[in-house]
Amino acid sequence: MDVKSVFLNGYINELVYVKQPSGFEDCKKPNHAYKLKKVVYGLKQAPRVWYERLKDFLLSKGFKMGKVDTTLFTKRIGKDLFVCQIYVDDIIFGSTNQELCEEFGNMMANEFEMSMIGELSYFLGLQIKQIKNDTFVSQGKYIKDILKKFGIDEAKPIHTPMGTNGHLHLDTSGDVIDQKLYRSMLEAYYVTTLRPDVMFSVCMCARFQASPRESHLKAIKRILRYLKHISNVGLWHPKGSNFELIAYSDSDYAGCKVDRKSTSGTCQLLGRSLVSWSSKKQNSVALSTSEVEYISAGSCCAQFLWMKAHLQDYGIKIKQVPLPCDNESAVKIATNPVQHSRTKHIDIRHHFIRDHQAKVDITIESGHQKSTCRHIHQAA
């Protein structure tokens, strides 16, 4: 559903005057200004005013606003659930009852001027294919557009996003390249919306935007050639899978060749569906592998606690989330409140994971199996 002239629907509360537009002056009052009753495009208040009007309208119709995501609106009618997600002038909605979708469409069309686009198939660069028992989301079209833009659509594809060493350095002796070109090629970052396999590689290249060299440009081109090799790969969300939330975390140790900081990789799965992931360099240099893994587990914990609260807006309550960790010392630090030599250098803010372990919000477990998130921050 797409709202036409979306910002013109909002009523403005502030006192705002505009001069008469050229060619539409009032011949009797040429020096007068117009007082606005509604917002116009270009006003900084426009997005907020539109959202306020839409929010008030939906709340008056019995919808509930999400406590975590305020652009999410839900409504329960008996056993049926209706979900509505707002993104400026685009509205995505769905329900367990088809009649509720039709009623919502008619209700919105009576209040606002809008067009029904139909079943969701393309949104914000994401291609969505819905079949009977599955949903597949990919970015094939976006990837092809990037390759064509930078003249790599005819290049030879490659099977890995990075070299075997998996790391870049400053390369002060290399040839300096155009910063504008380098940063524009980092459009590949938006591919990480659905491609955790290139998250670490793209973030590694993004660290050298200030002074890019020829070796850094080659690394980005290699990522694009890899994307060409598997441009149609995406995320698969099967129908009927359970709603158990599980998270994985992992980290290298002093992996950055420049400042010797470590990189944390995390991923969160809802049932069999991968729904969130990250690859981020830690803020400080770690003094041990235990500290590295402990900080990585803490950042993973913060993310799925947010997801846990977000799921409550959908009526899904999860009591406990398992968090496997392949470092025995990190597990002991999370479960043992006593300070010792391995923890005295860790910032206090990282110890919040102990509180949630004590509250039984999470269960950090030792596990030596190969973590799923290892693919997020290690080159294949």
Side-chain angles (χ1 to χ4, degrees), residues 91-105:
I91 302 175
I92 301 175
F93 60 92
S95 175
T96 54
N97 189 332
Q98 181 64 30
E99 294 182 359
L100 295 180
C101 294
E102 296 174 359
E103 292 177 6
F104 179 79

Side-chain angles (χ1 to χ4, degrees), residues 88-141:
V88 192
D89 61 338
D90 295 321
I91 302 175
I92 301 175
F93 60 92
S95 175
T96 54
N97 189 332
Q98 181 64 30
E99 294 182 359
L100 295 180
C101 294
E102 296 174 359
E103 292 177 6
F104 179 79
N106 295 330
M107 179 187 72
M108 295 294 288
N110 293 332
E111 182 70 15
F112 308 102
E113 186 178 357
M114 57 179 55
S115 57
M116 292 290 292
I117 300 176
E119 185 179 277
L120 183 64
S121 59
Y122 191 81
F123 184 71
L124 299 178
L126 308 180
Q127 295 169 251
I128 298 107
K129 185 176 182 181
Q130 302 182 62
I131 54 180
K132 185 177 181 180
N133 295 318
D134 309 283
T135 301
F136 181 73
V137 189
S138 63
Q139 290 176 292
K141 182 180 181 303

Side-chain angles (χ1 to χ4, degrees), residues 97-314:
N97 189 332
Q98 181 64 30
E99 294 182 359
L100 295 180
C101 294
E102 296 174 359
E103 292 177 6
F104 179 79
N106 295 330
M107 179 187 72
M108 295 294 288
N110 293 332
E111 182 70 15
F112 308 102
E113 186 178 357
M114 57 179 55
S115 57
M116 292 290 292
I117 300 176
E119 185 179 277
L120 183 64
S121 59
Y122 191 81
F123 184 71
L124 299 178
L126 308 180
Q127 295 169 251
I128 298 107
K129 185 176 182 181
Q130 302 182 62
I131 54 180
K132 185 177 181 180
N133 295 318
D134 309 283
T135 301
F136 181 73
V137 189
S138 63
Q139 290 176 292
K141 182 180 181 303
Y142 179 74
I143 292 174
K144 290 178 182 178
D145 291 341
I146 293 178
L147 296 175
K148 187 176 181 180
K149 178 179 179 180
F150 297 108
I152 310 179
D153 50 333
E154 298 297 330
K156 184 179 179 181
I158 200 165
H159 295 268
T160 56
M162 290 195 75
T164 54
N165 59 357
H167 293 281
L168 297 175
H169 54 86
L170 288 175
D171 190 19
T172 54
S173 60
D175 295 334
V176 179
I177 62 170
D178 183 18
Q179 283 189 8
K180 185 177 180 180
L181 171 64
Y182 187 80
R183 291 174 179 176
S184 63
M185 292 187 75
L186 278 174
E187 283 186 22
Y189 180 80
Y190 296 103
V191 179
T192 60
T193 305
L194 288 177
R195 299 295 297 269
D197 53 333
V198 297
M199 172 68 82
F200 174 76
S201 307
V202 173
C203 291
M204 177 71 70
C205 293
R207 298 174 186 175
F208 303 95
Q209 297 181 64
S211 180
R213 305 289 174 154
E214 185 67 29
S215 60
H216 306 143
L217 182 63
K218 289 181 179 179
I220 292 185
K221 289 183 176 179
R222 182 186 179 111
I223 296 172
L224 296 177
R225 289 169 60 194
Y226 169 73
L227 291 174
K228 181 184 178 183
H229 173 59
I230 48 175
S231 60
N232 292 321
V233 172
L235 294 182
W236 171 64
H237 300 285
K239 180 182 178 181
S241 60
N242 57 47
F243 282 95
E244 293 180 359
L245 183 62
I246 186 170
Y248 296 91
S249 69
D250 202 355
S251 181
D252 61 6
Y253 178 59
C256 182
K257 300 296 184 183
V258 179
D259 52 18
R260 308 308 295 177
K261 293 180 181 178
S262 306
T263 301
S264 299
T266 66
C267 69
Q268 294 79 29
L269 293 93
L270 189 61
R272 290 184 289 169
S273 301
L274 180 63
V275 293
S276 178
W277 57 89
S278 71
S279 177
K280 184 179 180 181
K281 186 166 69 170
Q282 295 181 3
N283 296 327
S284 58
V285 177
L287 301 181
S288 67
T289 56
S290 301
E291 180 181 346
V292 168
E293 296 285 355
Y294 183 69
I295 294 175
S296 179
S299 61
C300 185
C301 176
Q303 175 64 15
F304 67 63
L305 286 174
W306 176 87
M307 294 175 62
K308 184 179 176 181
H310 193 22
L311 287 171
Q312 291 183 5
D313 292 334
Y314 294 92

